[in-house]
Amino acid sequence: MNTQLTPQECLAPGRFIDSEHPDIRTLAETLTDPAADAVENAVAIYYWVRDKVRYNPYLAGDSPEDYLASATLKVREGWCVTKALLLAALCRAAGIPAIALVHNLIDTVDL
């Protein structure tokens, strides 16, 4: 995995981080304050995803479309991976560089 991404690459839409989707862009604009800095806006986006998107670990789908950030936004529920993708998409739409880095904790030896 390439962890040496540039900030510009972390602003571009991706396969699942569909930050160009109109609903993602509209919500990002609603959640952020142009007078605030990037950290304040990222925190506002984080809290919205945390509080307004229901966590449901049973939603792990088998279709690539199930992992689109815009799909998670539409149904307002997701699991850790899809919520992370939505968070990254909203940040990118707000001009905040973001990635979604996922680690499989089930395979972690220390558990």
Side-chain angles (χ1 to χ4, degrees):
M1 173 172 64
N2 179 9
T3 58
Q4 301 299 314
L5 299 171
T6 67
Q8 199 60 31
E9 290 172 307
C10 295
L11 285 169
R15 170 66 180 98
F16 302 108
I17 301 174
D18 55 341
S19 53
E20 81 289 350
H21 191 282
D23 294 339
I24 298 281
R25 297 191 70 72
T26 298
L27 180 58
E29 186 175 313
T30 301
L31 296 175
T32 55
D33 178 358
D37 65 23
V39 173
E40 292 171 311
N41 284 327
V43 169
I45 291 168
Y46 165 80
Y47 282 126
W48 190 91
V49 173
R50 185 194 73 177
D51 297 340
K52 303 296 184 186
V53 179
R54 181 176 174 263
Y55 178 74
N56 184 346
Y58 304 106
L59 281 182
D62 56 2
S63 167
E65 287 72 32
D66 295 333
Y67 292 84
L68 292 172
S70 58
T72 301
L73 177 59
K74 182 178 180 178
V75 298
R76 295 282 172 96
E77 67 178 337
W79 54 294
C80 53
V81 171
T82 57
K83 287 182 72 160
L85 294 168
L86 176 58
L87 175 63
L90 287 166
C91 284
R92 288 184 185 191
I96 303 166
I99 63 170
L101 186 59
V102 179
H103 180 74
N104 182 356
L105 293 177
I106 294 173
D107 288 339
T108 301
V109 175
D110 294 336
L111 290 179

